[in-house]
Amino acid sequence: MSLPKSVILYCAGSFNPITNKHLRLLELARDALHKTGQYKVVKGILVPANAKYAKDNLVAAHHRLAMVKLAVDSNAWLCTDSWEVEQSQWPPTAVALDALKDRIQDGTVSQCIYNGSAAVESDSSTQLKRKRPNDTNSHESSEETDVFARHKSAKIMLVCGSDLLRSFSVPDLWAKEHVCILVDVEPL
């Protein structure tokens, strides 16, 4: 019997706000993949949408990112990625997913990752800061870097809600090649 394939779960959304159901969605996906015996989920990444994402009443991106950081803080297997929030324009999900793959391959993913199970404090500007013993300025622990370094060939799987899935049927909303990337199929 072969070893299970390493998987990183990727869940992008507005997280306006993040809820327990978002976290539960990732847990259910992880558990379902583990149950097959073919996959081992090594990380779950929650990615808040860019401020320019077209959604009514979207809370400021830095606040949504702060909420996601708090939500993953007690979950060692979960993390959040600030890359999309930091872009000047909203990148389509397939573009953001490709950027994550590239950052994992070239070792720069740690520049945008906030890992769970780190102490969090809020400063006066509502930005969150992690407190780590002997390493208060590091953006990420070496253990977290090792997870991505050890799993550079991990399969990245999109986890999404029904709203995103339904949006695939909206004419001209998604580029066909982006849908193919997201659902991991070859274009016809």
Side-chain angles (χ1 to χ4, degrees):
M1 183 173 169
S2 63
L3 292 175
K5 172 87 174 142
S6 295
V7 169
I8 295 170
L9 297 178
Y10 180 91
C11 184
S14 63
F15 302 119
N16 194 42
I18 189 164
T19 68
N20 287 333
K21 290 183 179 181
H22 292 115
L23 301 176
R24 186 68 181 132
L25 181 66
L26 281 165
E27 289 172 350
L28 290 169
R30 178 195 61 192
D31 294 348
L33 288 168
H34 286 177
K35 194 173 184 178
T36 70
Q38 297 177 39
Y39 302 102
K40 166 110 176 91
V41 175
V42 296
K43 204 60 157 161
I45 303 175
L46 292 121
V47 182
N50 183 281
K52 304 251 171 114
Y53 179 65
K55 185 171 184 174
D56 292 336
N57 302 315
L58 199 59
V59 172
H62 70 277
H63 290 301
R64 291 180 289 108
L65 179 61
M67 287 187 280
V68 175
K69 285 179 178 182
L70 288 170
V72 303
D73 195 56
S74 62
N75 291 286
W77 78 280
L78 293 176
C79 63
T80 187
D81 184 358
S82 63
W83 181 87
E84 182 172 327
V85 167
E86 294 166 357
Q87 302 309 299
S88 61
Q89 296 294 319
W90 173 73
T93 305
V95 171
L97 190 59
D98 277 345
L100 174 65
K101 290 175 187 176
D102 291 345
R103 290 181 294 123
I104 289 172
Q105 290 302 309
D106 67 20
T108 61
V109 69
S110 65
Q111 296 170 3
C112 299
I113 294 291
Y114 174 88
N115 184 41
S117 69
V120 177
E121 68 177 347
S122 178
D123 68 16
S124 60
S125 66
T126 71
Q127 298 291 332
L128 293 179
K129 294 181 178 178
R130 293 184 298 155
K131 293 173 82 175
R132 292 190 188 278
N134 305 320
D135 195 16
T136 56
N137 293 324
S138 106
H139 196 47
E140 173 184 11
S141 73
S142 61
E143 179 181 325
E144 186 60 23
T145 302
D146 291 346
V147 167
F148 290 106
R150 285 193 318 266
H151 299 285
K152 282 188 174 188
S153 63
K155 181 175 184 62
I156 299 176
M157 293 184 171
L158 177 70
V159 176
C160 66
S162 60
D163 55 341
L164 188 133
L165 220 48
R166 273 193 304 270
S167 75
F168 288 161
S169 66
V170 176
D172 302 320
L173 181 62
W174 291 88
K176 183 178 179 180
E177 57 274 9
H178 287 185
V179 173
C180 292
I181 290 168
L182 296 176
V183 297
D184 198 20
V185 298
E186 293 298 317
L188 299 176

